[in-house]
Amino acid sequence: MSTFIEFDPTWEFSPNAVVAASVEHSAEGILVGRDALPPAFFDLSTRIAGDLTQRLGLYGVRLACVVPDLAEHSERFREFAREANQGDQVRFFESRASAGEWRGSA
């Protein structure tokens, strides 16, 4: 079973901060709830989501994002999420329970 930590919503959210949290906690994965994701994450023009995905891939860290309101985001972001869900590095889930099932499958 993979070691996942939950990213605290009070922590600064940036690609560097997420990677640093995984390293500091010796985690193989990060669970990020909707409340910890800033609006800029959902705006692909900011490059935050893409940079985060790339950096986590370099460190071999998995990311589970709980975003129950995915349909409320732009079509481009939904495409990004669908593409991410086809791989095993980053996944988007509607609930913590479904994210937990994926986390336990590693």
Side-chain angles (χ1 to χ4, degrees):
M1 177 183 274
S2 292
T3 304
F4 269 70
I5 64 162
E6 185 164 354
F7 194 83
D8 190 310
T10 64
W11 298 344
E12 170 201 355
F13 187 92
S14 70
N16 285 339
V18 175
V19 170
S22 70
V23 171
E24 289 171 9
H25 294 90
S26 300
E28 297 171 14
I30 302 278
L31 172 70
V32 181
R34 175 65 182 93
D35 55 343
L37 294 167
F41 178 80
F42 299 99
D43 179 356
L44 295 183
S45 69
T46 66
R47 303 180 70 174
I48 292 174
D51 287 349
L52 177 59
T53 300
Q54 182 180 26
R55 289 182 195 197
L56 291 174
L58 290 173
Y59 288 90
V61 177
R62 298 170 80 201
L63 177 67
C65 295
V66 178
V67 183
D69 59 349
L70 199 57
E72 295 177 14
H73 298 284
S74 71
E75 179 59 32
R76 288 195 59 214
F77 187 82
R78 292 192 311 264
E79 288 172 7
F80 170 79
R82 280 192 299 269
E83 186 175 320
N85 284 350
Q86 292 178 9
D88 198 41
Q89 189 71 39
V90 176
R91 293 271 178 103
F92 291 86
F93 300 94
E94 290 186 6
S95 69
R96 289 184 187 280
S98 56
E101 291 173 17
W102 179 69
R103 291 177 10 206
S105 70

